[in-house]
């Protein structure tokens, strides 16, 4: 769903009045009053600053720190797992400890790594909200938080994966993991064939965000 | 290793509950046990929380969705707190 043209009227010819040069509607200014929860967030934040619990600068640094995390961090963990069987075993036994061992500051996150094989394919969801291994992979994609993905992937995972361009044979077991509580999940995609000579860094470049959620495979190098 | 079979309690309490509706009343196997973790049904309201074991329970798609399942042997794992599970004796 790359395009959300709420303002398009497909029954009439496009006049493109009020459209940007790329033919998309301009985003509306947020002139409506604050919602109850927006007021609540601002009030509590300002109170905590007033009481000296933290400063504006510390909030900005916390946001910067979250924004600096990206799927590239997770890809490095996967590439290490592909090249070092002992690390892979430690990662499967305790995902948090193995991530910290590589130097990633993942805070209090409890991580479980699940491994794709010739016979098992794993896919991650949070049906209740949007639990995601943010401390390792950064912010989740929008579709991960939407009701369509959350409600459908637990019932028809094969149909959903097909929409992502991934058709799996019937003899591959799909394991869906619903992050309902305290754990977060990362999929270790299967290492593509023909990558025996690649460096760990080159291998990490084959590991996409989507492959670590389980809606894609690792990229096969050209 | 003995697999431990459990059924998710079919109850519908109000409040902040982290047991999905679609798994209530369903039977699965404990995949691994974790915790203890504070009971989110208490944590959500700022009261002191009981520390509970938490289990990853594996269900087959056939168990959850019956004949609607795409592939009955595919599975779904979810984290369920111990007070929501009843052991099943074979």
């Amino acid at each position: 769903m790359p395009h959300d043209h709420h303002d398009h009227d497909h029954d009439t010819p496009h006049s493109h009045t009020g459209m940007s040069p790329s033919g998309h509607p301009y985003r509306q200014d947020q002139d409506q009053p604050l919602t109850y929860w927006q007021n609540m967030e601002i009030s509590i934040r300002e109170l905590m600053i007033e009481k000296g619990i933290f400063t504006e600068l510390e909030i900005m640094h916390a946001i910067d720190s979250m924004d600096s995390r990206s799927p590239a961090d997770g890809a490095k963990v996967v590439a290490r797992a592909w090249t070092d069987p002992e690390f892979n075993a430690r990662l499967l036994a305790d995902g948090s400890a193995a991530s910290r061992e590589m130097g990633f500051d993942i805070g209090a996150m409890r991580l479980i790594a699940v491994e794709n094989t010739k016979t098992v394919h794993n896919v991650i969801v949070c049906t209740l909200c949007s639990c995601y291994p943010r401390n390792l992979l950064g912010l989740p994609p929008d579709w991960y938080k939407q009701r369509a993905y959350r409600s459908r992937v637990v019932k028809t995972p094969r149909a959903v994966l097909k929409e992502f361009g991934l058709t799996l044979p019937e003899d591959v077991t799909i394991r869906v993991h619903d992050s309902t509580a305290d754990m977060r999940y990362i999929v270790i995609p299967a290492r593509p064939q023909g990558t025996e000579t690649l460096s760990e860094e080159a291998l990490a470049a084959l590991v996409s965000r989507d492959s670590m959620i389980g809606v894609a495979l690792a990229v096969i190098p050209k | 290793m003995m697999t431990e079979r459990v059924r998710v309690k079919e109850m519908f309490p109000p409040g902040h509950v982290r047991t999905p509706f679609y798994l209530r009343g369903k039977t699965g196997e404990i995949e691994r046990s974790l915790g203890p973790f504070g009971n989110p049904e208490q944590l959500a309201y700022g009261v002191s929380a009981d520390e509970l074991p938490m289990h990853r329970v594996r269900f087959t798609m056939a168990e959850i969705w019956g004949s609607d399942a795409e592939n009955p042997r595919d599975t779904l794992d979810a984290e369920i707190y111990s007070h929501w599970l009843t052991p099943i004796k074979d």
Side-chain angles (χ1 to χ4, degrees), chain A:
Chain A
M1 289 168 280
H3 286 63
D4 279 334
H5 290 201
H6 298 299
D7 298 340
H8 271 195
D9 181 355
H10 287 284
D11 296 330
T12 57
H14 284 186
S15 67
H16 285 266
T17 315
M19 295 287 180
S20 74
S22 63
H24 292 73
Y26 285 109
R27 186 169 170 171
Q28 290 200 335
D29 285 323
Q30 295 167 311
D31 292 331
Q32 66 275 32
L34 294 174
T35 64
Y36 175 85
W37 296 110
Q38 285 171 322
N39 268 320
M40 175 82 90
E41 183 274 319
I42 294 168
S43 309
I44 290 176
R45 169 159 45 86
E46 290 182 346
L47 274 170
M48 292 178 94
I49 291 166
E50 252 175 62
K51 288 176 183 294
I53 295 166
F54 45 64
T55 66
E56 288 95 335
L57 199 62
E58 283 170 330
I59 296 174
M60 206 180 73
H61 286 159
I63 293 171
D64 277 349
S65 159
M66 184 49 80
D67 280 350
S68 72
R69 296 182 165 117
S70 87
D73 296 351
K76 286 178 186 160
V77 173
V78 172
R80 174 72 54 87
W82 282 350
T83 53
D84 180 345
E86 287 176 12
F87 177 81
N88 191 44
R90 293 199 294 280
L91 179 64
L92 292 173
D94 185 340
S96 303
S99 303
R100 289 194 192 100
E101 177 190 323
M102 284 192 66
F104 294 114
D105 172 17
I106 59 164
M109 182 173 73
R110 300 278 307 252
L111 185 71
I112 289 181
V114 288
E115 190 179 30
N116 287 352
T117 65
K118 285 191 173 66
T119 55
V120 172
H121 181 89
N122 296 279
V123 59
I124 311 302
V125 64
C126 171
T127 56
L128 297 175
C129 42
S130 58
C131 298
Y132 186 80
R134 294 167 187 239
N135 291 14
L136 188 63
L137 300 188
L139 299 177
D142 278 350
W143 55 258
Y144 184 85
K145 299 184 277 185
Q146 284 172 2
R147 195 186 296 278
Y149 177 74
R150 288 158 44 220
S151 62
R152 293 179 61 227
V153 80
V154 294
K155 187 166 186 187
T156 55
R158 288 172 186 271
V160 171
L161 294 183
K162 203 169 171 210
E163 290 169 25
F164 279 96
L166 179 56
T167 305
L168 293 169
E170 285 294 317
D171 59 352
V172 170
T173 301
I174 297 186
R175 298 204 190 290
V176 182
H177 301 271
D178 189 354
S179 331
T180 47
D182 294 87
M183 311 307 291
R184 300 293 176 267
Y185 296 87
I186 182 174
V187 175
I188 310 173
R191 179 172 176 167
Q193 289 187 334
T195 59
E196 292 74 16
T197 59
L198 293 186
S199 68
E200 209 174 301
E201 195 184 351
L203 287 169
L206 307 178
V207 184
S208 66
R209 174 198 69 197
D210 286 2
S211 73
M212 293 181 282
I213 302 174
V215 297
L217 304 179
V219 176
I220 297 166
K222 291 189 188 83

Side-chain angles (χ1 to χ4, degrees), chain B residues 7-90:
Chain B
R7 177 173 289 121
V8 181
K9 290 180 185 170
E10 198 161 12
M11 55 183 189
F12 302 91
H16 180 85
V17 172
R18 299 204 64 88
T19 305
F21 268 67
Y22 72 94
L23 295 176
R24 296 187 195 178
K26 305 298 183 189
T27 297
E29 290 176 354
I30 292 184
E31 188 264 347
R32 71 181 88 173
S33 296
L34 301 154
F37 289 109
N39 182 354
E41 294 160 33
Q42 296 162 318
L43 283 177
Y45 301 98
V47 298
S48 69
D50 300 330
E51 294 281 314
L52 300 175
M54 193 263 280
H55 305 285
R56 276 173 49 75
V57 183
R58 178 164 293 169
F59 306 86
T60 63
M61 291 297 186
E63 167 67 10
I64 302 173
W65 307 114
S67 58
D68 284 347
E70 277 180 325
N71 179 328
R73 290 177 309 282
D74 289 344
T75 64
L76 182 130
D77 294 10
E79 300 156 36
I80 312 284
Y81 295 90
S82 57
H83 66 299
W84 274 90
L85 297 173
T86 310
I88 293 181
K89 308 264 188 312
D90 290 321

